[in-house]
């Protein structure tokens, strides 16, 4: 499995198991990531929603913060390959929303040349105009990949302006070969500041890192798209604005 894995997730599982069984490592890769991650103080008012708390701290530090998770990559993939996915007969009936070629993993083979052409414009930094054209011409058409109302053009623009475009193309190519396997696990936030861009996975106390999340973090890092992990540490912040949400009283109606 290590020498010839079927996927990145299989390789991570096998190498992690081998290290614990024969290499003397006492903790798994997910646990090590949890322990090694950056800790960020988040106000108690954000307990239960650590992404919003961390996003607020980062915005105060001057970062542009986008709540992306899987949405950004679904939007990018669906818009870039709209013609191949939805205008080429891959929906076999009016009841189908997800193209059959993504289910049986034949997309990369069926549209090899079109995929190469479109990944080339991603690497060249000229893909945004194509995406905007698709948004304008196809808005509202049902599909099983993304929701039109969750498209964030500003996030796409900053990704193309500040991200490693070779890395973006590499991630999209992975999705072309096996969309079902690579469709989830992407980090919660995308951060942009001073011409640099990074992705961040957020976990609160008691949360665990899933194996697919670990895989996506490593894939993004490998392809030159900086991906980091952050733990939220809840504290009472003296600069936090508070509002009274409930008042207990005693006595009668008077």
């Amino acid at each position: 499995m290590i020498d010839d894995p079927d996927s990145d997730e299989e390789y991570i599982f096998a190498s992690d198991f081998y290290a614990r069984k024969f290499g003397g490592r006492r903790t798994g890769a997910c646990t090590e990531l949890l322990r090694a991650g950056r800790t960020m103080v988040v106000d108690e008012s954000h307990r239960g929603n650590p992404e919003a708390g961390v996003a607020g701290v980062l915005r105060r530090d001057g970062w542009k913060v986008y709540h992306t998770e899987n949405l950004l990559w679904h939007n990018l993939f669906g818009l870039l390959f709209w013609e191949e996915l939805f205008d080429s007969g891959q929906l076999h009936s009016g009841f189908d929303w997800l193209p059959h070629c993504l289910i049986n993993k034949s997309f990369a083979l069926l549209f090899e040349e079109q995929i190469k052409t479109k990944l080339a414009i991603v690497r060249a930094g000229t893909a945004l105009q194509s995406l905007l054209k698709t948004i304008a011409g196809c808005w509202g058409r049902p599909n099983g990949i993304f929701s039109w109302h969750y498209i964030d053009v500003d996030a796409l623009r900053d990704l193309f302006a500040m991200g490693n475009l070779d890395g973006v193309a590499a991630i999209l190519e992975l999705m072309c070969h096996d969309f079902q396997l690579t469709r989830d696990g992407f980090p919660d936030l995308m951060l942009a500041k001073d011409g640099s861009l990074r992705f961040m996975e957020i976990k609160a106390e008691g949360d665990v890192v899933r194996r697919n999340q670990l895989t996506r973090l490593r894939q993004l890092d490998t392809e030159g798209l900086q991906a980091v992990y952050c733990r939220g540490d809840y504290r009472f912040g003296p600069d936090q604005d508070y509002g009274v949400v409930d008042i207990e009283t005693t006595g009668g109606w008077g």
Side-chain angles (χ1 to χ4, degrees):
M1 292 172 69
I2 293 175
D3 292 339
D4 187 21
D6 288 334
S7 66
D8 286 336
E9 289 193 35
E10 181 178 299
Y11 173 79
I12 289 175
F13 162 76
S15 57
D16 188 31
F17 182 87
Y18 188 90
R20 295 179 68 183
K21 182 71 175 178
F22 302 107
R25 199 174 69 195
R26 300 181 62 85
T27 57
C30 292
T31 302
E32 288 187 349
L33 179 65
L34 281 169
R35 292 178 177 176
R38 172 187 177 186
T39 299
M40 188 172 295
V41 175
V42 179
D43 190 79
E44 280 279 354
S45 62
H46 292 290
R47 185 176 289 276
N49 191 4
E51 293 89 352
V54 171
V57 173
L58 292 168
R59 288 190 179 103
R60 288 193 289 273
D61 287 341
W63 289 91
K64 293 173 66 176
V65 182
Y66 300 99
H67 291 265
T68 52
E69 201 167 354
N70 303 316
L71 295 176
L72 174 72
W73 297 97
H74 287 189
N75 295 342
L76 181 54
F77 180 81
L79 291 172
L80 184 66
F81 299 111
W82 181 272
E83 294 177 356
E84 292 75 21
L85 293 169
F86 302 109
D87 291 337
S88 62
Q90 291 301 309
L91 298 178
H92 293 176
S93 75
F95 298 99
D96 291 330
W97 281 14
L98 187 67
H100 189 67
C101 60
L102 295 183
I103 298 174
N104 65 12
K105 304 179 184 179
S106 63
F107 178 68
L109 181 62
L110 289 174
F111 301 101
E112 183 178 1
E113 292 304 317
Q114 295 92 325
I115 290 172
K116 286 182 180 179
T117 300
K118 293 194 172 181
L119 292 181
I121 69 171
V122 170
R123 294 187 177 94
T126 58
L128 184 60
Q129 287 302 112
S130 176
L131 303 185
L132 295 177
K133 183 179 179 180
T134 301
I135 293 172
C138 304
W139 179 269
R141 284 179 55 182
N143 71 87
I145 296 179
F146 64 91
S147 170
W148 293 99
H149 297 287
Y150 287 103
I151 292 176
D152 190 335
V153 174
D154 289 333
L156 293 171
R157 183 177 290 111
D158 278 350
L159 177 65
F160 284 111
M162 305 181 201
N164 183 318
L165 298 184
D166 288 333
V168 173
I171 297 298
L172 288 171
E173 188 171 7
L174 291 174
M175 297 176 75
C176 289
H177 284 280
D178 195 338
F179 179 76
Q180 297 289 73
L181 183 66
T182 56
R183 66 184 302 170
D184 54 16
F186 289 100
D188 299 304
L189 306 178
M190 185 180 80
L191 317 175
K193 180 182 179 181
D194 298 333
S196 65
L197 184 137
R198 68 182 60 172
F199 293 89
M200 180 178 285
E201 177 67 30
I202 311 296
K203 292 294 181 183
E205 55 188 31
D207 287 345
V208 297
V209 178
R210 300 192 305 274
R211 195 169 298 279
N212 66 335
Q213 293 175 328
L214 176 61
T215 302
R216 299 298 163 263
L217 288 171
R218 290 187 174 183
Q219 286 173 336
L220 290 168
D221 248 350
T222 299
E223 300 301 341
L225 294 163
Q226 185 180 5
V228 296
Y229 166 75
C230 176
R231 291 180 296 168
D233 181 17
Y234 293 111
R235 304 284 181 88
F236 287 107
D239 298 326
Q240 176 67 34
D241 293 330
Y242 288 93
V244 176
V245 295
D246 190 22
I247 301 176
E248 296 294 338
T249 61
T250 58
W253 289 103

